[in-house]
DNA sequence: CTCATTGCAAATGGTTTGCATTGGG
DNA sequence: CCCAATGCAAACCATTTGCAATGAG
């Protein structure tokens, strides 16, 4: 218990996301507005392809460009599933890690001060200057284990 | 200190790698022999493209197929660099994590019983059944920080 | 003789880019 | 008016696949 926070934290609103882009010097165009608005409905991790399908009015390249801007701004995270395919999620926290369900690919977010502390400790034993880390926990989520799957 | 082992452990020899493939029911063909032999000279993490360039006598598809067999057999690991590009390394240990130098992309290996213990503890606080994890530590390795780089 | 393995080239998935066009500030 | 931003299609990178040819047991 404690030390692990996996409760959903408040997510930035579309307006806030747009403001973040403006802070980085990018214009709040209609296309960018459309992309960040759509993000509001994305809860579990999505692909860029999904975005482009729902945003027929925005060119694929623009969607990718906007996703990249948001990635650079730190408001989106790219998560690599166990099989290597990429998904994106809207970040709720500054620094965090991801959980990925190996059955349904749902991506979650958690942070643990214990992990951070341990990593700092470990750092002392690893040659070089540590500048960051990444961690994913693979699991079978509750709704997947609740579902008795007769076909597996 | 202690608890973190980052010293190079003995690596499987080409003959051992080939034997592992045979154990999995795959024939020790000349192409596979060539691939595993080349692995012996690979210390810091390599791309499949590098392998194909040095193995002009082996078809690209065969190199990829062999890499996949070795990946499945657990003797190769795929590591995703900070920028998303994939590299491969020959695994020295059963379960371990990777360090990646953000300057030179050199991939290292380490394991830490502390990390494993902490992850088990955290598991109790995360909903679902944990089936695995992945972790990368990004750093600036010693030779990169030793090198004063006038061009950065 | 047969089936695993190979090589080629084409297809794939995810993403980026060149370039001419558009549209806010 | 100008430059940031866009859309399109082509390029790109890592990887996979279909299929006919090969080759080892």
């Amino acid at each position: 218990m404690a030390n692990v926070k996996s409760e959903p934290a408040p997510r930035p609103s579309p307006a806030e996301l747009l403001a973040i882009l403006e802070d980085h010097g990018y214009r709040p165009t209609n296309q960018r507005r459309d992309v960040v608005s759509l993000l509001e409905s994305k809860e579990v991790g999505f692909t860029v392809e999904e975005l482009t399908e729902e945003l027929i009015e925005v060119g694929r390249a623009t969607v990718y460009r906007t996703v990249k801007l948001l990635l650079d701004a730190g408001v989106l995270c790219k998560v690599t599933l166990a099989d290597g395919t990429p998904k994106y999620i809207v970040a709720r926290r500054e620094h965090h890690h991801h959980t990925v369900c190996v059955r349904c690919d749902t991506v979650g977010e958690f942070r643990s001060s214990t992990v951070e502390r341990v990593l700092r400790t470990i750092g002392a034993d690893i040659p070089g200057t540590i500048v960051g880390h990444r961690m994913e926990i693979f699991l079978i989520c509750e709704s997947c284990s609740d579902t008795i799957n007769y076909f597996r």
Side-chain angles (χ1 to χ4, degrees), chain A:
Chain A
M1 32 218 76
N3 276 337
V4 173
K5 300 179 177 50
S6 57
E7 294 301 308
R11 276 206 310 190
S13 67
E16 285 169 326
L17 295 181
L18 215 53
I20 291 171
L21 289 184
E22 290 202 65
D23 289 346
H24 285 249
Y26 303 113
R27 290 196 203 152
T29 65
N30 287 328
Q31 289 87 332
R32 287 173 183 162
R33 224 178 281 275
D34 289 349
V35 172
V36 298
S37 298
L38 182 55
L39 293 183
E40 193 164 41
S41 67
K42 296 295 174 188
E43 279 297 329
V44 297
F46 50 88
T47 61
V48 181
E49 210 49 38
E50 265 172 68
L51 299 184
T52 61
E53 280 165 22
E54 297 183 53
L55 293 169
I56 19 102
E57 74 277 13
V58 183
R60 152 191 262 74
T62 300
V63 175
Y64 272 100
R65 283 190 273 240
T66 305
V67 165
K68 175 165 260 199
L69 294 180
L70 294 168
L71 233 27
D72 291 346
V75 301
L76 279 190
C77 292
K78 186 174 186 170
V79 184
T80 305
L81 303 190
D83 72 353
T85 59
K87 281 213 170 185
Y88 297 82
I89 70 168
V90 182
R92 292 164 188 275
R93 289 170 227 282
E94 291 294 318
H95 175 75
H96 61 262
H97 300 293
H98 297 115
T99 58
V100 184
C101 176
V102 296
R103 292 244 175 108
C104 67
D105 291 344
T106 296
V107 177
E109 205 175 295
F110 73 95
R111 64 164 271 114
S112 156
S113 52
T114 311
V115 167
E116 304 310 312
R117 186 160 12 85
V118 165
L119 281 167
R120 277 195 296 279
T121 310
I122 284 176
D125 299 322
I126 292 180
T129 308
I130 294 187
V131 297
H133 61 266
R134 172 167 62 200
M135 188 169 115
E136 285 104 35
I137 290 187
F138 298 109
L139 46 73
I140 295 171
C141 74
E142 288 184 314
S143 56
C144 280
S145 45
D146 285 351
T147 310
I148 298 170
N149 194 329
Y150 292 101
F151 304 106
R152 277 176 197 262

